[in-house]
Amino acid sequence: MASEKINNLLTPSLDEDCTLFEGSKIEGLRKVSGEDIVEVSPCASERGKLMAEIDLSEAREDQFLEMSTLGLLLDSYKEHFTEMKFGSKLGVARIMWKAHRIYVYQTGKFKIRFAHSREDAIRTLNSLLGLIQGSIFCKKCGNPTIDCILGKCDVCTESASPQVISIEDYFNGPLLLRGYESLKEVLKNSRKLRQELSREKKAWPATLENSMKRKLKEAIEYGIDFSLESQTFKNSYIGVEMISIAKENLFLLDQERTLMETLDSSLSKEAEEIIHRMNEIPWELNENLLKVTFEEGKMEEGILEEKISEFEAGLKEVERGSVSISKNVLDGLQKLIQTQANFLRKINAERDIG
């Protein structure tokens, strides 16, 4: 279906205590205690400019940012930065964005250099928080908020019903459609990837993998753009849904490569077919998830449970020892399928009620 015929997007209704629902915008310049939230000093490297240090670390008992998600977001958006450096182990990132040099610390501390004023520093920080909001740990569930949007945390959408959003009601709605097209192309290529792997040589198609990763990061970029261009923080979380779907596909792609690289060459043909089928199922569920999310179609009754039963049959073969799969890969696939299934069940149930 062409993107211009897609009018709606289904998105979970988040619990009001979820950090993604609240947003992480800094409304004022002071903490509740009356203490300044921003420390400003003259910028040593450029006359007339300021350096602002902003500390949000007290908003969390532990870390403020989940670094692997932060790295993904920054890497997907790197074409918008004049420079970018990211140190996961050090817990810090540095970017040059919109003529500001910004330091981002895992603990929730930020430094903004070359600010024109205190207010300019706050505006810059709020834009940055919109960019990286999926990597902020949620105060309600304790997971990065990118896990909240698809119900992966199993808390923040626990008692909420998905809502239908009319894309044409948003001036930045076309960004969601572009991201959708990028995701559709990835899922189309995932079929080609599986076809390549089913051949006798079984050589990993690195070129195709790289193409899929570029498209997934492109979808993340569109999701970030939507969030940044949203007129209210309350609407910006819609872009995180796009980002979350893309991230799940990136994870699945990495899992597939790991799985193929660890396959024993002595496996029987029957065992190989079981493994390939177990790997196909989450891709097929991702296709259905994308379709129902953008209201392009509804998953046919019984198909979801049928695919889950197929996967569980594969699990029994693994337990019996007739098929060998890395425990880490197997655990990852199980968690992914659980997330997909929970989300699809909730959406289908709400549509049946409607």
Side-chain angles (χ1 to χ4, degrees), residues 289-337:
L289 190 149
L290 186 63
K291 286 180 180 179
V292 300
T293 299
F294 279 85
E295 288 214 315
E296 190 181 11
K298 180 180 178 180
M299 196 169 190
E300 292 182 22
E301 188 176 353
I303 294 294
L304 174 59
E305 304 309 325
E306 179 183 316
K307 292 186 185 299
I308 291 174
S309 295
E310 282 188 71
F311 188 82
E312 289 174 347
L315 287 178
K316 290 179 181 177
E317 294 297 329
V318 173
E319 291 169 359
R320 283 200 289 264
S322 56
V323 178
S324 178
I325 297 180
S326 161
K327 186 179 186 305
N328 288 338
V329 172
L330 187 60
D331 289 345
L333 290 176
Q334 284 182 285
K335 289 178 182 177
L336 178 60
I337 285 178

Side-chain angles (χ1 to χ4, degrees), residues 30-130:
R30 295 179 181 275
K31 297 178 182 178
V32 175
S33 63
E35 183 183 347
D36 268 356
I37 200 170
V38 183
E39 292 183 10
V40 178
S41 59
C43 190
S45 57
E46 188 163 339
R47 191 174 182 179
K49 298 292 179 66
L50 302 174
M51 182 181 76
E53 296 187 42
I54 302 153
D55 187 357
L56 304 180
S57 60
E58 290 185 10
R60 300 292 186 280
E61 293 180 2
D62 198 357
Q63 302 297 337
F64 188 80
L65 298 170
E66 199 281 309
M67 292 304 285
S68 64
T69 303
L70 176 65
L72 174 62
L73 296 173
L74 294 179
D75 185 60
S76 300
Y77 212 64
K78 63 184 177 183
E79 295 301 320
H80 298 261
F81 306 138
T82 307
E83 65 175 70
M84 184 194 80
K85 290 189 177 181
F86 178 75
S88 179
K89 291 183 179 179
L90 295 174
V92 63
R94 187 186 78 188
I95 60 174
M96 190 72 182
W97 186 40
K98 297 181 178 180
H100 295 80
R101 177 163 287 127
I102 306 170
Y103 294 82
V104 182
Y105 297 91
Q106 184 177 10
T107 57
K109 294 182 179 181
F110 302 84
K111 289 182 182 179
I112 299 174
R113 289 185 174 176
F114 313 137
H116 299 288
S117 64
R118 187 186 189 90
E119 289 69 30
D120 178 45
I122 290 294
R123 284 193 298 269
T124 301
L125 177 66
N126 282 333
S127 292
L128 177 69
L129 292 173

Side-chain angles (χ1 to χ4, degrees), residues 131-186:
L131 195 164
I132 66 173
Q133 62 182 321
S135 67
I136 298 172
F137 282 109
C138 177
K139 290 184 290 186
K140 180 176 176 64
C141 70
N143 295 316
T145 56
I146 198 170
D147 289 349
C148 302
I149 194 71
L150 294 183
K152 194 172 182 180
C153 69
D154 200 32
V155 173
C156 293
T157 61
E158 186 176 36
S159 59
S161 302
Q163 58 182 330
V164 179
I165 290 172
S166 176
I167 293 175
E168 64 182 12
D169 289 345
Y170 296 82
F171 77 94
N172 51 348
L175 293 168
L176 296 175
L177 297 179
R178 290 174 198 160
Y180 169 77
E181 291 298 332
S182 297
L183 291 171
K184 255 189 27 170
E185 187 170 338
V186 168

